[in-house]
Amino acid sequence: MQLTPYLKTWPHPRKPGRIILLATRRCALLELSEALWQRLVSGGELSEQEQATFTRLGVLVPDRETEKQALLSSFATHNAEKRRFEVTAALTLECNLACPYCFEEPFRGNLVMTDAVADLLITRLVERMATGLDILVDFYGGEALIRQDLLLRSASQLQQAAVQHGVTFTFNLFSNGVLLTRPTVEKLLPLGLQAVRTTLDGPPDIHNSQRPFVSGKGSFDAILANLVEVHEILPLSINGNYTRDNYRRFPELLDHLLAAGINPARLRNIIFSPVMPKADGTGLGDHGATCACTAEPWAIEAHLFLREEIIRRDFPTDKLGPSACMIEFEKDWVVNYNGDIYKCPVFMGDESMRVGNLADGVGDYHASHRLDIWKNDECLDCAYLPICFGGCRFFRKLQTGAIDGVDCRKAMLDASLERIVLQDLSITAPT
């Protein structure tokens, strides 16, 4: 047995003589003595229990080259074994908010999915049900609840078809929260609604400037009132979009949520992210307010600061785990309002990144999306590969104009991973 190449270690900051170890392929986190670590590094004798534990957690592997080969084939294996088909479906690109940073603004408008396109989408999903696949749909927009009629009809028909084929149908909802009333949620829950992801951009004054109604009126109070009403009956994920100038005020939002009666234990997670450039790349020159590179120092510091504040108030947030771009997964589609198919929501509307349509199916996107971009010696020898897999194709395309290399996360992870691990340990370990 050999040590996996996908391993990071740090001295324990509070316990001299002990180290923290992260096996990145499984994101197994361990605390062990320096003496035991030295036995691992030197190939010293381990007890049967120690060897079994380190093997189970991916710290020890049969040999390092076999481990690399397993990573090379990991998506092929996953795609062959996955028994759920997942679709992000844009019911409309209409929206009742007028966010100045809106990612979809370059192609947003009075663009809605027709009944014919919706029927074709349902047909394609029922075809997958007939092969024994479960179905998960993320209804998306614009604001998906503007087409609540279409959402209700589609979910109802898919639920009935799932029962007939002996599989499951569930759906999530991306919503700005304005129309997310309790009566609406109570109608959707019996049809398979399992969670909603919504957005609050910081405390009221920041949110209202970044996410006003089309009329210009602030939307914070209306959204928060709805979240208070529904969070006890529906798992919620709350997002927030910050800039370099305002991220330090976002903890005020967390205190607003607590004061309003939001129970942290009832939420799925809270995740704050930097404002990204719009789909056509505009916004890059906005005084660095937007983020087009994961290694930007201000963005790293903002992420660590806000993650700490979320954890400190006992709200759930994203945990460290294996990660990869959804384009790697064959059974994941993004379907635009017009039936065009993409492999990631950020590419929606970009004709060069369209992979097919509901009528004709999906073509070969191996070259256009550079599926093998991370299959090189530098990536395969990097301990971060299992939590990166070449990073984000969209970010790379923003920076160079083409997916001509990986969006390397090494600098960002070098600067942040230890603090993320220590934050995760603080959830369960005494300080």
Side-chain angles (χ1 to χ4, degrees), residues 70-90:
L71 272 183
L72 284 169
S73 61
S74 57
F75 294 117
T77 300
H78 174 90
N79 288 330
E81 296 176 350
K82 186 178 180 183
R83 304 310 304 160
R84 185 168 72 182
F85 197 84
E86 302 184 23
V87 170
T88 300

Side-chain angles (χ1 to χ4, degrees), residues 75 323-329 343-344 347 388-389 391-393:
F75 294 117
S323 178
C325 179
M326 69 177 289
I327 70 172
E328 303 281 1
F329 304 115
K343 289 300 296 178
C344 180
F347 292 133
C388 172
F389 283 110
C392 175
R393 268 69 165 187

Side-chain angles (χ1 to χ4, degrees), residues 62-296:
D63 68 82
R64 295 166 70 92
E65 190 56 37
T66 299
E67 181 81 341
K68 291 181 182 180
Q69 292 302 315
L71 272 183
L72 284 169
S73 61
S74 57
F75 294 117
T77 300
H78 174 90
N79 288 330
E81 296 176 350
K82 186 178 180 183
R83 304 310 304 160
R84 185 168 72 182
F85 197 84
E86 302 184 23
V87 170
T88 300
L91 298 181
T92 177
L93 295 183
E94 290 183 293
C95 190
N96 43 20
L97 298 185
C99 310
Y101 64 79
C102 179
F103 176 82
E104 296 159 357
E105 189 270 338
F107 51 85
R108 200 179 82 183
N110 185 25
L111 304 168
V112 299
M113 183 175 286
T114 65
D115 287 341
V117 171
D119 289 341
L120 189 52
L121 174 60
I122 292 168
T123 296
R124 295 293 175 253
L125 294 180
V126 173
E127 289 170 354
R128 269 69 186 177
M129 291 180 185
T131 69
L133 294 178
D134 297 324
I135 301 296
L136 171 65
V137 178
D138 291 335
F139 288 110
Y140 185 75
E143 171 51 43
L145 285 176
I146 288 177
R147 289 304 315 271
Q148 188 179 147
D149 57 334
L150 187 58
L151 194 164
L152 287 165
R153 180 171 74 83
S154 300
S156 179
Q157 292 183 26
L158 288 167
Q159 185 186 59
Q160 294 172 23
V163 171
Q164 294 169 3
H165 289 283
V167 297
T168 63
F169 163 70
T170 53
F171 69 95
N172 300 319
L173 185 61
F174 284 78
S175 172
N176 59 33
V178 170
L179 301 176
L180 192 70
T181 63
R182 189 177 180 110
T184 294
V185 169
E186 289 173 341
K187 280 192 295 185
L188 295 174
L189 283 171
L191 298 178
L193 175 63
Q194 62 177 13
V196 170
R197 182 172 295 279
T198 190
T199 302
L200 285 170
D201 277 0
D205 61 314
I206 294 175
H207 173 95
N208 288 335
S209 67
Q210 293 191 174
R211 300 182 69 81
F213 284 105
V214 172
S215 67
K217 180 182 176 181
S219 63
F220 184 91
D221 290 342
I223 296 170
L224 181 59
N226 284 341
L227 301 189
V228 171
E229 285 292 312
V230 304
H231 85 284
E232 292 285 356
I233 63 171
L234 173 72
L236 288 175
S237 295
I238 299 177
N239 285 5
N241 303 292
Y242 56 80
T243 70
R244 183 171 59 182
D245 298 326
N246 66 24
Y247 74 86
R248 289 198 171 273
R249 291 195 56 206
F250 269 57
E252 296 174 32
L253 169 62
L254 304 174
D255 296 330
H256 271 279
L257 296 177
L258 292 170
I262 297 288
N263 180 359
R266 300 296 299 178
L267 299 184
R268 273 195 165 186
N269 55 33
I270 293 181
I271 299 175
F272 296 141
S273 304
V275 171
M276 290 174 56
K278 298 178 182 181
D280 60 359
T282 58
L284 285 170
D286 186 19
H287 307 294
T290 59
C291 180
C293 175
T294 55
E296 292 180 35

